[in-house]
Amino acid sequence: MLALRNYLVTPFGLKTSAPNETGASDIVGIFPIVSQSPDRLVAGFDDRHLDFRVVVDVAACSDGQRVTATTLVRTHNLLGRTYLATILPFHRLVVRAMLRQVAE
């Protein structure tokens, strides 16, 4: 899915791989890690059409651990709003794939 996304957005000048502008030394999927602690991971980057962050929280609960993923998006223009509307149906699949990678 990410390869298809990269192919489709290239003509629009959007980022196709994780830039290391944040100084991140690690990457989850195509997103650089912005901050990390034992119970929270924040990944994402800023682009000209939108800024994106995913926050993964891990909390202890009675039957193990609870993992919660929250995504935050700030659109900057019509291209960002159009891109968000297009990607939204696939959003759950992308987040699940990222959570699998974090679990590994």
Side-chain angles (χ1 to χ4, degrees):
M1 285 183 61
L2 291 175
L4 176 62
R5 177 245 181 234
N6 289 342
Y7 176 77
L8 293 174
V9 303
T10 298
F12 300 102
L14 303 181
K15 294 176 182 173
T16 56
S17 62
N20 205 355
E21 296 169 357
T22 61
S25 60
D26 258 340
I27 292 181
V28 176
I30 66 166
F31 305 115
I33 295 174
V34 175
S35 68
Q36 185 174 0
S37 70
D39 58 349
R40 174 174 283 176
L41 172 103
V42 179
F45 57 84
D46 299 341
D47 207 343
R48 45 185 200 126
H49 67 304
L50 58 77
D51 300 340
F52 172 81
R53 297 292 184 274
V54 60
V55 180
V56 179
D57 287 305
V58 179
C61 61
S62 61
D63 55 342
Q65 292 181 323
R66 172 173 286 152
V67 178
T68 304
T70 305
T71 53
L72 306 160
V73 178
R74 176 184 293 168
T75 59
H76 297 299
N77 50 37
L78 179 61
L79 179 58
R81 291 185 293 278
T82 303
Y83 177 80
L84 184 59
T86 302
I87 198 69
L88 221 45
F90 306 101
H91 178 71
R92 287 182 186 240
L93 296 174
V94 172
V95 172
R96 285 181 186 149
M98 287 181 63
L99 288 174
R100 276 194 297 272
Q101 185 177 359
V102 169
E104 292 172 1

